[in-house]
Amino acid sequence: MINGSHITLGLESSCDETAVGIVQDGRKILSNVISSQIDIHTRFGGVVPEIASRKHLECVNSVIDLSLKEAGVTMDQVDLIGVTYGPGLVGSLLVGVAAAKAMAFACGKPLVGVNHMQGHIASNYLEYPELEPPFMALVVSGGHTNIVNVVDYNRCETLGSTRDDAAGEAFDKIARVIGLGYPGGPKVDKAARNGDPEAIHFKRVYLEPGSYDFSFSGLKTQALNYLNSERQAGREISVPDVAASFQEAVVDVIADKAVAAAREYGRDRIVMAGGVASNSRLRKVLGERAAEYGIEILKPAPVLCTDNGVMIACSAYYEGKKGNFAGPELDAVPGLEF
Ligand code: KG4
Ligand code: ZN
């Protein structure tokens, strides 16, 4: 407690970011320390799970210390510890879960296991301190593409998800084949700004009418076929045009489905979450299409869209309010569902 307010520490280590955030009363960010491993994994063109877990192990204690220091909070003043226990890479998750359990046990603090995807949605409560459920959430990350009907803080219903590649995964793969490297999403976003989104027509995959599911693997194949045929014909490939056309095909489908879901369920707000939510074109197109129906789009700052510890602290705060505490048996669940 600090002056009567509740302090939550959130720890995130599901992929390649070791992150610890401190949040006051579930809504106010006191510190948000993120140690990214991007530079290391860039050399390999993607996240290497063994290296990721070793790096988490090396830096988790110093990230915790730094986050407490930046927040001006001592461990004694922390009321609750939240930790991501899935979904994610098992070795990476295990480091965070073990560290959080050790802290909770050693300092006598309650512990909450947080679903990483629920955490992404919670980043909106930090960006918009007045926001309360219900609303529709679009969760687009490296591992997930979900449309989620958020009924209450602890009650979510997934209306649709990807049947193959996640949106971020599709961005990362296309970036690799057009030579933009890792991490692909931000690089495609940047390259696309100088390209023509109508230069190449990639077919939009909507699946069955009324479905909120996604499929991006066919789009990837279309892009590969296009690149191969252009190369074989000896034509030069415009990286900005491929990036812009590919991005437009992904964004078109995501925006249409998110707006359709909000309309069907009578939601007047769609919150964006996950790394791909920082895509500039998605933010613009979704905003425009939603506005046609009087639907508001909530867009957290990019630093809250990608993996961080404050979103885990916020989600843990609301789980703790419901009494959903974890014991020493808390374990990493790499395939955890919503
Ligand atoms: O949420 P996140 O940080 O980690 C996961 O939980 O997966 O999302 C990472 C994903 C990566 O695939 C990355 O390429 C993508 O988000 N991403 C973007 C952008 N920034 C990050 N994709 C498209 N445009 C962006 N600006
Ligand atoms: Zn994430």
Side-chain angles (χ1 to χ4, degrees):
M1 284 273 180
I2 297 181
N3 299 331
S5 53
H6 185 282
I7 303 294
T8 314
L9 180 151
L11 205 169
E12 156 63 35
S13 71
S14 65
C15 190
D16 59 347
E17 263 103 23
T18 320
V20 175
I22 315 269
V23 167
Q24 185 177 344
D25 292 330
R27 295 279 177 151
K28 187 171 173 223
I29 299 173
L30 298 185
S31 66
N32 185 14
V33 177
I34 303 168
S35 169
S36 173
Q37 305 174 1
I38 281 183
D39 291 349
I40 303 155
H41 299 291
T42 298
R43 278 181 252 153
F44 303 96
V47 177
V48 183
E50 289 78 5
I51 296 177
S53 45
R54 205 173 320 138
K55 288 287 159 197
H56 285 305
L57 201 54
E58 277 170 24
C59 73
V60 67
N61 287 332
S62 49
V63 174
I64 294 168
D65 288 346
L66 187 57
S67 196
L68 287 166
K69 195 169 162 220
E70 282 193 6
V73 167
T74 64
M75 201 56 214
D76 278 351
Q77 293 170 319
V78 170
D79 298 292
L80 177 67
I81 296 171
V83 63
T84 306
Y85 75 109
L89 301 170
V90 66
S92 292
L93 289 165
L94 276 171
V95 175
V97 169
K101 283 202 289 193
M103 267 194 299
F105 182 70
C107 307
K109 307 287 179 187
L111 178 69
V112 167
V114 175
N115 182 316
H116 181 77
M117 307 313 292
Q118 189 101 35
H120 271 303
I121 293 174
S123 61
N124 282 275
Y125 299 130
L126 297 161
E127 183 73 51
Y128 303 97
E130 308 301 320
L131 174 67
E132 290 192 27
F135 50 77
M136 196 59 74
L138 172 64
V139 191
V140 274
S141 72
H144 292 79
T145 311
N146 290 350
I147 295 179
V148 183
N149 183 22
V150 180
V151 182
D152 206 342
Y153 288 104
N154 319 74
R155 242 184 83 211
C156 291
E157 181 194 0
T158 301
L159 305 179
S161 53
T162 184
R163 293 185 188 169
D164 40 57
D165 292 351
E169 198 179 351
F171 272 108
D172 292 338
K173 283 180 178 168
I174 199 69
R176 198 172 311 148
V177 295
I178 56 177
L180 291 176
Y182 172 86
K187 294 194 172 166
V188 171
D189 191 349
K190 195 161 169 230
R193 284 178 204 156
N194 301 316
D196 174 6
E198 287 168 17
I200 309 145
H201 183 75
F202 292 125
K203 194 168 164 283
R204 275 63 168 156
V205 179
Y206 283 91
L207 303 167
E208 314 81 55
S211 169
Y212 295 121
D213 280 351
F214 298 92
S215 170
F216 295 115
S217 70
L219 188 57
K220 184 186 64 199
T221 311
Q222 283 185 69
L224 283 174
N225 289 343
Y226 168 81
L227 293 169
N228 286 338
S229 66
E230 292 298 289
R231 281 180 187 134
Q232 270 168 13
R235 282 190 287 269
E236 204 171 315
I237 288 158
S238 160
V239 169
D241 282 352
V242 178
S245 303
F246 181 86
Q247 177 175 267
E248 202 68 9
V250 175
V251 163
D252 244 353
V253 178
I254 295 178
D256 280 348
K257 292 205 178 212
V259 171
R263 292 184 65 207
E264 183 180 338
Y265 286 79
R267 300 282 183 242
D268 58 3
R269 289 165 305 179
I270 301 173
V271 313
M272 298 179 78
V276 184
S278 59
N279 182 271
S280 59
R281 187 72 187 147
L282 178 61
R283 289 164 93 97
K284 185 166 188 286
V285 171
L286 182 60
E288 286 167 359
R289 291 201 192 154
E292 285 173 34
Y293 301 98
I295 298 166
E296 190 190 357
I297 301 298
L298 275 60
K299 309 174 235 193
V303 69
L304 292 176
C305 289
T306 45
D307 292 350
N308 63 76
V310 284
M311 69 184 197
I312 303 304
C314 174
S315 193
Y317 173 80
Y318 286 102
E319 289 298 322
K321 271 190 145 186
K322 285 262 171 188
N324 295 333
F325 298 109
E329 70 290 342
L330 181 69
D331 204 356
V333 183
L336 184 67
E337 303 272 344
F338 247 127

